[in-house]
Amino acid sequence: MATDPDAPTFLLRPGERSDLGMMADNLEQGFGSYRTWADASWEPPTRMEMLVGMMQRFTKDGSWSVVAFTED
């Protein structure tokens, strides 16, 4: 398989509880993009709702995460 020499290199590591705020920010941005196609009455969960949900599930019920960062 060929690789793109200009593609960014990512560092991967297991997610930690301290990453949950950043993950909630990312989800909030992603859900914001749904507005381009979702029904006009659809409302995404708030950042706080997502954060609380992740805090309750983190490392429980089989939940897991990996975070990726580009090497800058």
Side-chain angles (χ1 to χ4, degrees), residues 16-38:
E16 299 173 355
R17 197 167 187 84
S18 61
D19 294 316
L20 294 179
M22 175 186 59
M23 293 164 68
D25 292 342
N26 187 287
L27 282 168
E28 184 176 43
Q29 288 177 346
F31 276 133
S33 70
Y34 283 28
R35 294 198 186 282
T36 61
W37 56 266

Side-chain angles (χ1 to χ4, degrees), residues 6-59:
D6 296 324
T9 301
F10 291 94
L11 301 174
L12 301 175
R13 66 167 172 76
E16 299 173 355
R17 197 167 187 84
S18 61
D19 294 316
L20 294 179
M22 175 186 59
M23 293 164 68
D25 292 342
N26 187 287
L27 282 168
E28 184 176 43
Q29 288 177 346
F31 276 133
S33 70
Y34 283 28
R35 294 198 186 282
T36 61
W37 56 266
D39 183 87
S41 65
W42 179 79
E43 285 295 325
T46 67
R47 181 186 183 280
M48 186 57 68
E49 289 170 328
M50 290 185 282
L51 184 57
V52 167
M54 287 188 294
M55 290 173 72
Q56 291 173 343
R57 290 186 304 274
F58 193 73
T59 71

Side-chain angles (χ1 to χ4, degrees), residues 1 4 8 39 45 67 72:
M1 173 163 63
D4 180 352
D39 183 87
V67 292
D72 291 324

